[in-house]
Amino acid sequence: MIQPAFQLTRLTLLAISLLVLTACERESYTTWSCHSATEVKATMILRKAVMEFQDLKLDYCGSLGNQSYFDVRCPGVIQESNTSFAPASGSLINQGQQYQCTAL
């Protein structure tokens, strides 16, 4: 016969394990507010390996140092990507246009 205290401990451990596994499935993303000299405000979202910016979904192409590169189709040389982003400074360059972004 299983003791009630042991059974309660076992159920508690099972519940905690399920919560941990559920938390692993949550989608993480960061929303940024960006502005440039010509554009008042634009929103950029980094969701896993995808950047959503100006109605585009850009794939992550890779990083060099603190610079990350994104494009609709990643080129063979990642520095040739249409979009580069440095999260530490908030500097975003999209198709030659420079933006300054702040995490929300």
Side-chain angles (χ1 to χ4, degrees):
M1 182 172 164
I2 298 176
Q3 295 178 5
F6 178 73
Q7 192 172 21
L8 181 60
T9 303
R10 203 166 123 200
L11 286 173
T12 302
L13 288 173
L14 178 63
I16 290 171
S17 297
L18 288 173
L19 284 173
V20 168
L21 289 174
T22 303
C24 290
E25 292 295 317
R26 289 185 186 162
E27 188 172 331
S28 62
Y29 65 92
T30 305
T31 303
W32 298 75
S33 176
C34 305
H35 64 276
S36 70
T38 59
E39 196 169 327
V40 177
K41 185 178 176 185
T43 300
M44 184 258 289
I45 298 173
L46 289 176
R47 187 184 319 263
K48 295 185 181 181
V50 174
M51 176 188 283
E52 297 174 20
F53 185 69
Q54 296 180 332
D55 298 326
L56 293 173
K57 288 193 177 189
L58 307 168
D59 291 328
Y60 173 73
C61 300
S63 293
L64 290 174
N66 65 351
Q67 201 76 12
S68 297
Y69 296 90
F70 298 84
D71 209 324
V72 175
R73 281 199 186 146
C74 294
V77 178
I78 64 170
Q79 298 96 314
E80 294 175 2
S81 299
N82 282 335
T83 304
S84 65
F85 181 58
S89 66
S91 176
L92 171 71
I93 299 173
N94 178 260
Q95 298 181 6
Q97 178 73 42
Q98 180 137 5
Y99 297 84
Q100 186 58 48
C101 303
T102 307
L104 299 177

